[in-house]
Amino acid sequence: MKFLLAGDTALVMEFGNAIDPAVNAQVAAVAAKLAETPLPGVREILPTFRSLLIEYDPAVLSVCKLKRVLRSYAAHADANAGGTYRVVHIPVCYQQEFAPDLEDVAALHNLSADEVVALHSQKEYLIYMLGFLPGFAYLGGMDERLITPRLANPRTKIPAGSVGIGGEQTGIYPIASPGGWRLIGRTPLRPYDPGRETPFLYKAGDYIKFDPVDANTYRQIEREVEAGSYQVMTEVKSWG
């Protein structure tokens, strides 16, 4: 663990050099402690794969005191033992109208489309961090059998909610944007909605579970989301 100054109002706390669930769990644990026990002078905390950026007011909080508190939090943070984690369920329609690249992904791996869907939806994916776009979750844990190269020619516009595979990663495009990932499904949920009280459906340290739905269910959920009546399913699970 080491500290790096990021200008005169931010401090980076590095926990390791690799993208690793254990390292990320330490990041999440210290971030959670800072959120649960606000430290006067701390303005914002930004967790990443392997580090935590803390923006602070040096007129209120000295960098030396901030380091002491962070070291204490890290020393006492046991991210997994006896703790819990949250799983956010994301309904996804993998049918052709929402999955233009599903058949290609299946063919590349000598799998059927149904096998791709089964492999993709059976896992709980750790959210390492949010970035790139508002609400874009960098997920870990995809089955190695689904590792697929990005498109040679990226699309200029991908619909919001599209679920794709890019290399070793899978994820959801929270808003319409260009992109080169292979699209294998779409969710009717809005991972990012600035009009909600809580704009993001999930945070770093949560897990995502993709739940297959048919097109009729997709449209029903879409209507409920539009009306503001849809309740996102979440679970709290214990490490064990």
Side-chain angles (χ1 to χ4, degrees):
M1 186 184 69
K2 65 180 180 179
F3 294 104
L4 301 170
L5 293 176
D8 57 2
T9 61
L11 181 69
V12 175
M13 185 180 190
E14 288 193 343
F15 292 82
N17 294 318
I19 297 175
D20 179 88
V23 171
N24 190 253
Q26 292 179 296
V27 175
V30 175
K33 183 66 175 175
L34 279 169
E36 293 165 4
T37 312
L39 188 62
V42 171
R43 293 168 170 164
E44 189 172 8
I45 52 176
L46 298 171
T48 72
F49 281 106
R50 59 182 186 85
S51 65
L52 184 66
L53 183 143
I54 303 97
E55 184 185 357
Y56 66 98
D57 182 350
V60 177
L61 177 65
S62 73
V63 69
C64 292
K65 181 177 179 180
L66 178 57
K67 287 180 180 179
R68 286 199 303 271
V69 172
L70 292 173
R71 285 193 183 98
S72 174
Y73 286 175
H76 295 91
D78 191 346
N80 293 344
T84 60
Y85 64 97
R86 189 175 73 137
V87 181
V88 180
H89 286 259
I90 304 294
V92 176
C93 184
Y94 293 92
Q95 294 178 7
Q96 183 60 43
E97 62 181 300
F98 302 113
D101 300 319
L102 179 59
E103 293 291 345
D104 289 342
V105 171
L108 283 168
H109 298 293
N110 295 315
L111 298 169
S112 69
D114 288 344
E115 287 172 325
V116 171
V117 172
L119 289 171
H120 187 260
S121 61
Q122 71 183 2
K123 307 271 286 192
E124 291 178 354
Y125 296 92
L126 169 63
I127 302 176
Y128 278 101
M129 60 178 283
L130 302 182
F132 169 57
L133 295 169
F136 186 92
Y138 285 85
L139 305 179
M142 188 176 73
D143 193 295
E144 292 183 357
R145 288 169 287 182
L146 296 180
I147 296 174
T148 308
R150 291 166 172 79
L151 294 171
N153 296 304
R155 293 179 170 92
T156 57
K157 187 175 182 180
I158 291 174
S162 294
V163 176
I165 292 175
E168 299 180 3
Q169 292 187 299
T170 185
I172 311 165
Y173 284 88
I175 59 177
S177 77
W181 287 22
R182 312 266 182 161
L183 306 183
I184 64 168
R186 195 185 306 168
T187 178
L189 304 189
R190 297 172 181 170
Y192 170 68
D193 183 348
R196 284 195 305 252
E197 181 178 354
T198 304
F200 303 108
L201 290 183
Y202 37 66
K203 63 184 184 302
D206 286 343
Y207 283 73
I208 280 179
K209 175 71 168 60
F210 296 115
D211 295 333
V213 298
D214 60 25
N216 288 335
T217 303
Y218 176 100
R219 293 189 175 90
Q220 175 60 37
I221 295 173
E222 188 175 45
R223 289 191 290 269
E224 293 177 15
V225 169
E226 185 66 29
S229 60
Y230 184 78
Q231 296 295 314
V232 177
M233 179 181 171
T234 63
E235 294 179 89
V236 176
K237 295 187 175 182
S238 299
W239 297 104

